[in-house]
Amino acid sequence: MDLAFEIIISGLLIAAGVFGIVGSFGLLKLPDTMTRLHAPTKATTLGVGGVLIASMLHFWVLENTLSWHELLITMFLLLTAPITANLIAKAHLHSFRADEKTSPTGSDRDWATFEDAAVEQQPMITGSGKNQNT
Amino acid sequence: MIEYALTFAFGCFGIGLLCNLYRIFIAPGVVDRVLALDTMVINIIALLVLYGISTKTGMYFEAALLFAMTGFVSTVAYCKFILRGDIIE
Amino acid sequence: MLRKLFPHPYLTLLLIITWMLLVNQIKLGSLVLAIILGTIIPIITGPYWPDRPVLRNPMAMIGYILVVLYDIVKSNFIVAGIVLFRRNSTLQSKWITVPLDLRSPEAITVLAGTITMTPGTVTADMSGDGRALLIHCLHAPDPDAVRDEIKSRYEARLKRIFE
């Protein structure tokens, strides 16, 4: 019985490792900031999720101590990943407004980030030069 | 068998961290660096949990949880700073 | 009276569950402390959320969470495939506008989070009047299909839960 669980845990760990490295590799490989945003928010979430589930199973089956902290970390990461992705996208739109061809809103109001920038007119931090493809 | 899987996962997340460091080095702008830092935080959480499995203690979950929270708050603070030029208005 | 003591029952329940998970063992003492915290914190922070979120159909939430979890796993494989096997020059990333039928802020927040977690899409912004979401697609040869899928698969379900 333990052997079956060992196989499951090892499988989860290997899958998690593969997804983790794919997420970080995507960060290097994809062509511009908005596409790079996709790689870590998705691939890495399942990577860390796999590690956490494997850890939970490991402590539960092989060490006989039921531990719920992993569930807490997984929930926290699943809840915060969309928020960080959204904020990074907003910061990118703010910095490189002229370079991004965003689709129209379909009404007479602009996107919220652009409206805020038009209202405030504060000195802003922007990236170094243009959004070049590296 | 778990030891081999653990070593493999350690290697994957370690190489992932190196990729992120390289991305921070060659990034075209501030936003990319923030994104790479956020990914680094997630990879480090995974490494902490893996280390907890390999030493068979539950001690590192608190560290991982705290790291997740600090990472989230720092990413939000960076983005807020880029968006507004100020963090607490 | 009960309404005054528990202004936000869902928040109280969430706080109790979170505290029990943090303590990591089921003891009477920690349960009592969790209930005390779950009662006090919503009362103290009450001024920050004057409105109660309306949940028409809380049971449908479970089905929705299962659908989203399945989509997260699926999206991971799709994105991993795109990252590993697709050349950058053939990548068709696009901006898409999704007009919203939802009006309650909670429902729009959940929809935006769901879109970010699911296949190849990230919510980037919202229009100033809150009637459309700006979405970036990693690889979308057919943007209309993506928009229709979001509207039928997630927004219709959320409308049933929240409104």
Side-chain angles (χ1 to χ4, degrees):
Chain A
M1 197 58 206
D2 272 6
L3 184 70
F5 275 107
E6 276 196 29
I7 292 171
I8 293 173
I9 293 169
S10 307
L12 275 171
L13 282 173
I14 288 171
V18 169
F19 277 114
I21 200 169
V22 166
S24 300
F25 174 69
L27 201 63
L28 278 184
K29 181 224 169 199
L30 290 171
D32 56 56
T33 310
M34 276 317 291
T35 49
R36 278 200 282 271
L37 189 54
H38 291 275
T41 49
K42 302 218 170 57
T44 323
T45 310
L46 195 66
V48 178
V51 168
L52 289 165
I53 293 167
S55 156
M56 210 165 136
L57 273 179
H58 180 266
F59 280 96
W60 181 32
V61 177
L62 302 178
E63 311 282 324
N64 285 319
T65 51
L66 195 51
S67 154
W68 294 103
H69 276 157
E70 292 89 341
L71 211 60
L72 207 59
I73 302 177
T74 317
M75 269 163 55
F76 186 80
L77 284 176
L78 281 183
L79 285 180
T80 55
I83 301 172
T84 47
N86 183 269
L87 272 168
I88 291 173
K90 273 173 94 83
H92 172 74
L93 282 178
H94 182 92
S95 304
F96 297 104
R97 182 180 179 179
D99 296 339
E100 289 291 352
K101 306 277 181 292
T102 53
S103 52
T105 55
S107 69
D108 50 345
R109 302 279 298 269
D110 205 354
W111 297 110
T113 312
F114 302 152
E115 283 192 345
D116 285 355
V119 168
E120 296 205 351
Q121 295 291 345
Q122 284 177 352
M124 302 291 178
I125 306 274
T126 51
S128 58
K130 293 185 78 69
N131 183 20
Q132 59 223 2
N133 296 346
T134 45
Chain B
M1 185 163 63
I2 289 181
E3 282 74 27
Y4 295 115
L6 267 177
T7 316
F8 176 77
F10 267 123
C12 282
F13 283 106
I15 295 170
L17 266 179
L18 285 178
C19 291
N20 297 339
L21 267 180
Y22 184 62
R23 169 47 73 189
I24 290 179
F25 186 64
I26 61 163
V30 187
V31 184
D32 273 271
R33 294 202 169 88
V34 176
L35 180 60
L37 271 177
D38 190 50
T39 319
M40 273 181 96
V41 168
I42 293 175
N43 280 345
I44 286 170
I45 294 166
L47 279 177
L48 275 173
V49 177
L50 284 174
Y51 192 66
I53 300 177
S54 74
T55 53
K56 297 188 170 56
T57 56
M59 217 170 66
Y60 291 92
F61 295 125
E62 276 87 358
L65 194 59
L66 284 174
F67 211 87
M69 289 180 180
T70 0
F72 171 64
V73 172
S74 61
T75 311
V76 170
Y78 275 129
C79 291
K80 205 78 186 151
F81 185 68
I82 296 169
L83 275 170
R84 299 277 186 157
D86 203 349
I87 297 169
I88 301 166
E89 294 170 37
Chain C
M1 178 62 204
L2 204 62
R3 172 116 198 210
K4 213 165 195 178
L5 197 60
F6 299 104
H8 300 284
Y10 291 119
L11 182 63
T12 307
L13 198 65
L14 185 71
L15 280 168
I16 291 173
I17 292 172
T18 312
W19 184 262
M20 293 313 286
L21 288 179
L22 261 177
V23 171
N24 213 1
Q25 49 198 351
I26 296 169
K27 279 192 202 154
L28 190 64
S30 47
L31 187 64
V32 170
L33 188 58
I35 291 172
I36 291 172
L37 283 173
T39 318
I40 290 175
I41 291 176
I43 292 175
I44 294 175
T45 57
Y48 295 106
W49 22 73
D51 301 329
R52 270 189 181 187
V54 182
L55 274 185
R56 254 314 152 66
N57 199 351
M59 280 300 131
M61 203 77 197
I62 297 169
Y64 182 73
I65 289 174
L66 288 179
V67 168
V68 171
L69 278 179
Y70 171 74
D71 282 357
I72 288 174
V73 175
K74 202 177 74 181
S75 92
N76 272 287
F77 282 98
I78 293 171
V79 172
I82 291 174
V83 166
L84 287 178
F85 303 117
R86 192 168 276 280
R87 297 157 69 103
N88 282 344
S89 51
T90 61
L91 206 62
Q92 294 172 298
S93 54
K94 284 199 183 88
W95 293 99
I96 296 177
T97 305
V98 175
L100 287 172
D101 294 329
L102 297 168
R103 281 295 164 265
S104 81
E106 295 88 12
I108 296 176
T109 312
V110 175
L111 180 66
T114 312
I115 290 170
T116 303
M117 300 307 294
T118 47
T121 48
V122 165
T123 316
D125 210 344
M126 191 176 168
S127 72
D129 52 1
R131 281 169 190 272
L133 285 176
L134 179 64
I135 287 165
H136 186 266
C137 279
L138 179 58
H139 179 67
D142 184 9
D144 290 336
V146 175
R147 187 175 57 222
D148 291 344
E149 201 200 335
I150 287 170
K151 284 197 83 73
S152 63
R153 197 171 167 86
Y154 307 121
E155 199 181 4
R157 280 171 216 254
L158 281 175
K159 212 167 169 59
R160 249 176 281 148
I161 295 173
F162 283 98
E163 286 175 6

